[in-house]
Amino acid sequence: NYAIVAKDAPQPEKMDGQILVPFPIESALSGVMKPVGPENRLWYQHGFTIPPKWSGKRILLHFGAVDWDTTVMVNGKTIGTHQGGYDPFSFDITDALQTFGPQEITVSVWDPTDTGPQPRGKQVLKPQGIFYTAVTGIWQTVWLEPVNPAYINALKIIPDIDASQVKITADCPGAKAGYQIQGVVKTGWFSKVDAKAGSANELIIPIPKAKLWSPDKPNLYDLNISLLDETGQEVDKVESYFGMRKIAIQKDSDGIMRLFLNDKPLFQHGPLDQGWWPDGLYTAPTDKALRYDIKMTKKLGFNMARKHVKVEPARWYYWCDKLGLLVWQDMPSGYNNTDEGKKNFESELKRMIDNFHNYPCIIMWVPFNEGWGQYDTARITDWVKSYDLTRLVNNASGWTDSGAGDVHDIHVYPGPGKPANEEKRAVVLGEFGGLGLPVEQHTWQNKENWGYVSYQNSQELTDAYLKLIDNLQLLIGQGLAAAVYTQTTDVEGEVNGLMTYDRAMVKMDLKKIQAANKACFTKTYKMEMELSPTSQNAPVEWRYTTAQPAEGWQNPGFDDSAWQSGPGGFGVEGTAGAVVKTTWDSPDIYLRRSFELSNMPTGKIYLVIHHDEDAQVYLNGQWIAKREKYLTSYITIPVDEEARKALKIGTNILAVHCHQTDGKQYIDAGLVSIISQPIAKEKGFSLKSYFR
């Protein structure tokens, strides 16, 4: 039963109706589909009985997650409170139970959504654009568990592939002096490792010739842990599992910082996964539905997902472990930098790391998304790195890098793009793409749907995606270590998903998308020749003018001796992703530079450009590219074969016109030749199981 009453009103004597838990009250699957709002409080009431066979046990009441401020009562007695919308919590309700007969649980929840100081991800009271419907109250499973007076409450599992062992730490309430834990690991169909009993809270189990966990081969070990009393008698036993895996950053054979899984470089590519559902909002309709998203992500050819500003139920991470999907785990964004807001954020961040520590699929923590509620970034990042030594830390995904952590992450829409390579951190593309297509009868709303770039049909969308991935492959060769495409599914008004919001269809040609994504892992792209370099890494001299030049200014043989000379790039300081060496603050600029070719390149020709705003590019007088609007970083665009024919042995002319209308401004461009070759199997990029 449920009721919605004023926030400060007493417990209601009469309930409003019934609700289906664990679906949030705003969702269709709850059977209610009503907003609550910060001015109200949501009450739940439920009757239950204790099975006779539980006699003598301690009874625990578990909540997967409740958003946000929760008070729990059993038989009218308050047993505990909890603040936090994304973490599981439990109470021992034994002392509040009646000796016989029916029992009653009452839960009250208050959720301020975007008016409060708590992490809330993308929830708002007035959803629009990239922010969605509020979620209030119970949104994950609630269950009872009987335990002995001394029992195993939780495990912390730390695999160590270098030492060929796994370390188990157990939290054992009620354990007395002399109690021990004992472990058994199944290493095959008919083999196992029996670990000797350790102290009541720590055990090390050897794993000889470990079968490592990876997306290609998600090997998992079954684990049984027993709690033994001082006589060696078993008083409790739990079953779990773990994966032997290691994540690190280090330089590859070309001296570029990469992400290494199990001591082998692995490019990580996957969708931004927000975990929203049209009928359940934060809550998937079934466990099968949770599994479906992960299975489709792999079928589309990805090996990773970035779980975006949301924490999922434990089953989602189980399926990632089981099916083999790497996870970058965001902390749900908070937007309140008061002392209370910071306290809430850091408390929930710690609980997220504690509660999801054991899942091998999670290989990176992401404390902040862009500038959303970001504060003390270096301090927070350093704390996370020191608190969990088994994972990488991304200080902030997109635009507001602090220089801390293991990666430098940028967002480029539609992109793709990459930051300049760094000596101590890997460079990654935390978001790109966002290609939109509304599909009639499969949208959340009939109008005002949007994507970062919109298309009319599946063929157009597929072609645009393939061009993005073609450009992405080049960036991989230049040092990009990972990329995140926006996004797994449409979400409410956003229609830039690989699938529709209802998961009824994949919006692109699945086989073509799979093949393109697969190529990111099976081929390596390296620069054959830098025909005309950009100024991203070192200044390059250009001839330039801000006045309208004479006709034919882009052609070879044009006399530009009266033009000024200066190093690129050209623009104003503060333009995102720009490397300004010469100030340009007028509406137009015209650029020319010559470069020499002693032999013709054999690889594919690409234009490398960063522009703010509209730009046109010419090669030996032939138009090769037209770019509109602006970028926030350098991107790479393939030059078609007709334009390639303009190249010649000897002197060539690259010419650019850029027009600025508003805001910041910048222009820089270059040409490169790229060759591709298969990645050798021994480098660890086998993907055969991705496409089963």
Side-chain angles (χ1 to χ4, degrees):
N1 299 311
Y2 83 94
I4 301 173
V5 300
K7 175 178 178 287
D8 297 323
Q11 179 179 340
E13 295 183 3
K14 183 180 179 181
M15 305 301 276
D16 296 344
Q18 290 196 321
I19 184 171
L20 184 62
V21 170
F23 301 106
I25 193 168
E26 294 89 349
S27 73
L29 286 176
S30 73
V32 181
M33 207 174 177
K34 291 180 181 178
V36 178
E39 70 279 3
N40 293 320
R41 185 177 296 274
L42 172 61
W43 290 82
Y44 298 87
Q45 193 176 69
H46 183 67
F48 64 97
T49 58
I50 299 296
K53 65 181 180 180
W54 290 9
S55 178
K57 302 279 190 178
R58 304 297 297 181
I59 308 301
L60 305 182
L61 174 62
H62 299 287
F63 293 84
V66 184
D67 197 0
W68 172 70
D69 183 296
T70 307
T71 300
V72 180
M73 292 164 279
V74 173
N75 297 326
K77 180 180 180 180
T78 299
I79 60 167
T81 61
H82 178 80
Q83 286 188 339
Y86 299 92
D87 60 303
F89 57 97
S90 303
F91 299 113
D92 186 331
I93 66 171
T94 311
D95 296 338
L97 295 173
Q98 307 281 4
T99 305
F100 301 103
Q103 319 282 341
E104 185 178 76
I105 176 175
T106 305
V107 178
S108 80
V109 185
W110 175 68
D111 181 14
T113 311
D114 51 342
T115 68
Q118 82 290 356
R120 56 179 171 85
K122 286 192 170 185
Q123 300 179 62
V124 291
L125 295 172
K126 296 180 179 180
Q128 60 179 333
I130 63 170
F131 296 95
Y132 317 131
T133 304
V135 169
T136 303
I138 297 169
W139 68 274
Q140 290 187 30
T141 303
V142 185
W143 75 102
L144 292 171
E145 179 188 11
V147 297
N148 294 323
Y151 67 99
I152 302 170
N153 179 56
L155 301 176
K156 184 173 184 179
I157 305 171
I158 303 177
D160 186 341
I161 71 171
D162 296 327
S164 299
Q165 66 182 29
V166 61
K167 180 180 178 181
I168 315 291
T169 304
D171 174 33
C172 302
K176 300 176 182 178
Y179 278 38
Q180 297 177 307
I181 60 171
Q182 180 172 283
V184 177
V185 174
K186 296 180 182 178
T187 57
W189 287 105
F190 305 105
S191 58
K192 61 184 179 180
V193 175
D194 292 297
K196 295 180 180 179
S199 67
N201 65 348
E202 187 172 300
L203 184 69
I204 294 178
I205 305 176
I207 309 294
K209 298 180 181 179
K211 295 179 180 179
L212 303 182
W213 184 95
S214 71
D216 189 32
K217 295 181 179 180
N219 298 306
L220 296 172
Y221 288 91
D222 290 328
L223 171 67
N224 291 338
I225 296 292
S226 298
L227 177 64
L228 310 178
D229 66 16
E230 61 272 16
T231 68
Q233 185 72 26
E234 183 178 88
V235 297
D236 195 23
K237 181 179 181 179
V238 297
E239 297 177 356
S240 188
Y241 70 87
F242 63 91
M244 294 293 288
R245 72 102 181 94
K246 173 186 176 183
I247 187 71
I249 56 167
Q250 63 188 72
K251 290 184 177 179
D252 65 11
S253 57
D254 295 319
I256 296 173
M257 292 297 285
R258 299 281 188 182
L259 304 179
F260 275 61
L261 182 69
N262 301 331
D263 296 322
K264 296 178 181 179
L266 177 64
F267 181 74
Q268 298 182 15
H269 183 206
L272 190 77
D273 193 302
Q274 305 208 60
W276 285 76
W277 304 82
D279 47 6
L281 299 179
Y282 254 18
T283 310
T286 62
D287 183 60
K288 185 178 180 180
L290 275 181
R291 183 181 185 274
Y292 178 82
D293 274 11
I294 298 160
K295 187 176 180 180
M296 283 303 302
T297 298
K298 296 211 58 170
K299 192 172 183 179
L300 284 161
F302 298 109
N303 66 354
M304 173 266 282
R306 178 183 166 206
K307 180 50 64 175
H308 189 41
V309 296
K310 182 198 177 192
V311 179
E312 291 288 0
R315 290 291 292 182
W316 189 84
Y317 302 96
Y318 164 78
W319 284 120
C320 289
D321 288 346
K322 190 78 172 177
L323 298 175
L325 189 70
L326 299 167
V327 176
W328 295 11
Q329 179 61 54
D330 285 15
M331 172 64 192
S333 296
Y335 307 81
N336 186 308
N337 286 347
T338 62
D339 289 344
E340 184 181 7
K342 292 177 181 179
K343 181 181 178 181
N344 287 331
F345 182 87
E346 292 177 41
S347 174
E348 291 200 45
L349 173 63
K350 180 181 181 297
R351 281 182 261 158
M352 178 183 75
I353 296 171
D354 287 340
N355 287 311
F356 295 93
H357 179 277
N358 292 342
Y359 295 95
C361 64
I362 301 176
I363 52 87
M364 186 182 294
W365 301 116
V366 187
F368 296 105
N369 177 67
E370 297 176 354
W372 299 3
Q374 195 178 146
Y375 71 95
D376 294 350
T377 307
R379 177 181 66 82
I380 297 291
T381 301
D382 290 345
W383 175 81
V384 175
K385 280 189 65 64
S386 64
Y387 190 64
D388 183 0
L389 302 177
T390 68
R391 292 180 173 89
L392 304 177
V393 183
N394 181 341
N395 77 100
S397 185
W399 300 338
T400 48
D401 177 62
S402 69
D406 296 298
V407 300
H408 180 185
D409 182 325
I410 64 168
H411 295 173
V412 184
Y413 285 106
K418 68 176 283 293
N421 293 343
E422 297 189 9
E423 186 66 24
K424 294 183 179 180
R425 297 189 301 172
V427 297
V428 303
L429 179 58
E431 293 180 29
F432 79 105
L435 307 181
L437 173 66
V439 180
E440 192 173 349
Q441 304 300 319
H442 296 279
T443 56
W444 173 260
Q445 54 200 28
N446 292 326
K447 58 182 181 179
E448 298 181 356
N449 297 299
W450 73 281
Y452 288 93
V453 184
S454 296
Y455 296 89
Q456 299 299 313
N457 54 59
S458 177
Q459 184 60 54
E460 284 187 5
L461 186 67
T462 300
D463 290 344
Y465 183 86
L466 295 178
K467 288 180 181 178
L468 286 184
I469 301 305
D470 186 40
N471 297 338
L472 181 69
Q473 289 165 344
L474 171 62
L475 298 179
I476 298 169
Q478 294 177 335
L480 188 69
V484 179
Y485 177 80
T486 301
Q487 58 185 329
T488 304
T489 72
D490 296 346
V491 182
E492 299 200 355
E494 286 188 66
V495 292
N496 46 29
L498 293 155
M499 294 185 286
T500 53
Y501 197 12
D502 57 11
R503 279 74 167 173
M505 61 182 293
V506 176
K507 296 197 287 183
M508 305 182 203
D509 186 310
L510 191 151
K511 290 185 178 179
K512 289 182 178 179
I513 299 308
Q514 181 192 98
N517 290 335
K518 181 178 179 180
C520 293
F521 308 100
T522 56
K523 293 181 181 179
T524 181
Y525 294 77
K526 294 191 176 183
M527 189 179 299
E528 176 194 30
M529 192 182 303
E530 197 167 27
L531 308 176
S532 177
T534 68
S535 297
Q536 187 177 16
N537 297 315
V540 175
E541 286 291 317
W542 292 76
R543 306 289 291 184
Y544 72 96
T545 181
T546 56
Q548 174 71 48
E551 188 175 344
W553 66 272
Q554 68 271 44
N555 296 328
F558 179 82
D559 183 8
D560 58 17
S561 60
W563 291 19
Q564 297 181 73
S565 178
F570 298 83
V572 295
E573 293 292 343
T575 304
V579 184
V580 177
K581 296 298 181 182
T582 299
T583 298
W584 161 51
D585 55 11
S586 62
D588 292 273
I589 191 168
Y590 300 82
L591 305 169
R592 285 171 56 92
R593 76 175 306 270
S594 63
F595 61 92
E596 300 293 324
L597 277 186
S598 57
N599 57 285
M600 293 296 289
T602 61
K604 193 168 184 177
I605 308 302
Y606 290 81
L607 169 68
V608 184
I609 189 169
H610 184 347
H611 62 90
D612 186 349
E613 295 165 329
D614 302 345
Q616 296 195 54
V617 185
Y618 303 85
L619 175 60
N620 291 330
Q622 181 172 325
W623 175 85
I624 63 170
K626 180 180 180 180
R627 299 288 306 174
E628 295 181 341
K629 300 182 179 179
Y630 67 91
L631 299 171
T632 56
S633 73
Y634 286 80
I635 69 166
T636 307
I637 306 164
V639 173
D640 64 32
E641 286 303 309
E642 194 62 33
R644 179 193 176 97
K645 294 176 183 177
L647 273 178
K648 61 184 181 180
I649 300 296
T651 302
N652 294 264
I653 298 294
L654 184 64
V656 183
H657 171 217
C658 190
H659 175 68
Q660 165 64 19
T661 58
D662 187 43
K664 302 292 186 178
Q665 59 193 92
Y666 185 71
I667 184 65
D668 187 24
L671 289 173
V672 296
S673 169
I674 300 296
I675 56 174
S676 64
Q677 60 191 42
I679 294 175
K681 287 185 178 180
E682 61 266 24
K683 289 191 176 181
F685 287 88
S686 172
L687 291 192
K688 62 183 180 181
S689 70
Y690 286 8
F691 308 101
R692 290 172 180 168

